[in-house]
Amino acid sequence: CNLHLPGSSTCVFCRKNDDCPNKYGEKKTKEKWNLTVHYYCLLMSSGIWQRGKEEEGVYGFLIEDIRKEVNRASKLKCCVCKKNGASIGCVAPRCKRSYHFPCGLQRECIFQFTGNFASFCWNHRPVQIITSNNYRESLPCTICLEFIEPIPSYNILRSPCCKNAWFHRDCLQVQAINAGVFFFRCTICSNSDIFQKEMLRMGIHIPEKDASWELEENAYQELLQHHERCDVRRCRCKEGRDYNAPDSKWEIKRCQCCGSSGTHLACSSLRSWEQNWECLECRGIIYNSGEFQKAKKHVLPNSNNVGITDCLLEESSPKLPRQSPGSQSKDLLRQGSKFRRNVSTLLIELGFQIKKKTKRLYINKANIWTSALDAFRNRNFNPSYAIEVAYVIENDNFGSEHPGSKQEFLSLLMQHLENSSLFEGSLSKNLSLNSQALKENLYYEAGKMLAISLVHGGPSPGFFSKTLFNCLVYGPENTQPILDDVSDFDVAQIIIRINTATTVADLKSVINECYNYLELIGCLRLITTLSDKYMLVKDILVYHVIQRVQAPFESFKQGLKTLGVLEKIQAYPEAFCSILCHKPESLSAKILSDLFTVHTLPDVKALGFWNSYLQAVEDGKSTTTMEDILIFATGCSSIPPAGFKPTPSIECLPVDFPVGNKCNNCLAIPVTNTYKEFQENMDFTIRNTLKLEKEESSHYIGH
């Protein structure tokens, strides 16, 4: 037939030129026939099957058969995008829905890559039904370890063999593609038969191939090499970090958890090689793992929770299960290595852009926001220049100025941003809709300030909601907000009332009461069954949290591109999530002791008093806190992700009271005769200095 086919780079079935093997299968072009096709689009089409050998046509599908199928589909309209060419139909009896493969993915259809290669629309797809839900708390996805609500839905699946094993669909699909049929199994009990059968039923594609790591040449070569280097912040070995002398204090001990970091015994005060040691990263994971379990995430139920019985499969033309063609991207399997990359290393890499040329910023601490805006908007300001801060006093006729701390300035600026009207929410914040701020381009400036703070050694915000973070990394169209993202009390109450409706009559009653609001935001929909409430709630959430603030988001996103920060976040989301969505870990006596180095010839007694003082503060026997000490010395309440520059240091001076030099991150501690006198002087000075500074600036924070 003289069928007009799309261009050679466009799939003849879905009419998309996207080349995304993990979503659509390998994209194959046959220039001889001016034909391009996605493997999954071809495999799932309802009116075609393999009649040729593997090397014939496209994956064994003959060219004339493909043309006939394209011709057949050209008469069918997609029920999602309303365009012709819908080659895939739901196999449920009497269901007449047809759709393109990408459109089916968008509407959460299920495609079974086994047997007759059946497809199910969103109303007739198979579901996982559990008799009772005893899980009141969130549970971790056993692949990515992110906490999820243990309720079966399209995006959340449960293992058929281990009742406490839950997964994200996307995590399962990535693992299946990389593991292949021979290695894809339950992460808890390693069952493959029952596990794979259920995952195939729920639409997970398991290619018949060896695992990607088995195919990689010399994949395990690094396992034959031992890590022999001291990686602690202060290596005391005069011979260098790579020096290793067995049976001595300069023998290198590897981290017992990851084995990829090491320390000289003496550098970590280890008495023998048998003593256990963990690196800072592993120690943080071990000690903080309990905190993640405390933060329960409240996710609205999905319409999939309604008990829908599995539909009978309608017989269709047989298609042979095949080996997934081509080499799959190994980056998906190796995403773990991106996570293991320390975020400080990533920020230091970005810091290589900073030039030696210095730009001085004149900052009024009493009005940090306005002076920062003026400085960053100055036409001579370049974010890649090194920043030097000079503090000025408002209405000072003499024009006096004194050197300021760059890290203190950035820390104060981040505090202002967190409490500004540009964001809404209590702890985890989303962007707000502030028309005046939008008019003044303040969302762009906020993104720019965040990027500059990260690259120039300032603190990270730590207040992003997971929804805002996911929008930045994966795009708003791939992000589903949750009820916790809604800070407007009235809107939250509407969502809760809709979600808790128990009958269709109750649901329609709530909708009638909220009719004007739903009409205003474009979320009115025909209600026929109780399960329609879930889609209505989803629409409201998407509008209120994402669509409503689309203009601020795009502006903020552009600002965050400063110095390539957004691109780095998108390349290493797991690493950056730890500093953008979570506050830094609490300081301890050990952390501060390791952080400060002895700058001058030490006074042994004073250093002893210093260590005792840190322990007293940690034990609550002092009026100050660990954060107070760090602010007094550096201007920051936490250690910046990129570390301090210069490194914080201690001087022992014959002074009565401690002195904090925030420009040099230097703390001068007093030399006293007794510890009691030492502690009283430290407490008095730190407490009153910070109190005075807070009183001077608190009036302006948030304005």
Side-chain angles (χ1 to χ4, degrees), residues 3-125:
L3 179 67
H4 175 70
L5 298 176
S8 60
S9 64
T10 304
C11 174
V12 294
F13 287 108
C14 70
R15 311 298 174 91
K16 290 181 177 289
N17 58 10
D18 304 47
D19 190 3
C20 186
N22 296 298
K23 287 181 69 175
Y24 309 135
E26 187 185 29
K27 184 179 177 184
K28 196 81 168 181
T29 297
K30 293 289 185 179
E31 295 183 359
K32 181 179 178 181
W33 294 289
N34 189 32
L35 183 146
T36 297
V37 64
H38 291 124
Y39 176 52
Y40 293 171
C41 293
L42 176 60
L43 194 61
M44 299 308 303
S45 292
S46 301
I48 189 173
W49 62 95
Q50 277 176 318
R51 294 199 303 139
K53 296 180 181 179
E54 188 74 20
E55 64 276 5
E56 291 184 273
V58 183
Y59 312 128
F61 292 88
L62 302 181
I63 299 300
E64 58 266 30
D65 291 343
I66 295 176
R67 291 183 181 275
K68 289 178 182 178
E69 177 65 359
V70 173
N71 188 48
R72 182 190 73 84
S74 67
K75 303 178 181 67
L76 300 174
K77 182 177 288 187
C78 175
C79 62
V80 179
C81 70
K82 309 305 179 185
K83 297 179 181 178
N84 290 339
S87 64
I88 305 171
C90 177
V91 302
R94 295 182 295 280
C95 182
K96 300 186 182 301
R97 288 191 178 97
S98 295
Y99 32 83
H100 302 101
F101 184 83
C103 294
L105 286 181
Q106 179 186 332
R107 284 303 303 270
E108 300 184 347
C109 297
I110 279 185
F111 303 93
Q112 293 181 337
F113 294 88
T114 185
N116 293 318
F117 290 80
S119 166
F120 299 88
C121 72
W122 51 94
N123 275 351
H124 299 118
R125 66 191 179 207

Side-chain angles (χ1 to χ4, degrees), residues 679-702:
Q679 178 173 341
E680 289 176 349
N681 291 352
M682 292 288 288
D683 284 349
F684 174 82
T685 305
I686 294 175
R687 182 177 65 250
N688 286 283
T689 301
L690 298 187
K691 182 180 179 181
L692 181 62
E693 292 178 351
K694 189 173 183 179
E695 288 174 352
E696 290 176 349
S697 61
S698 62
H699 177 70
Y700 295 91
I701 295 296

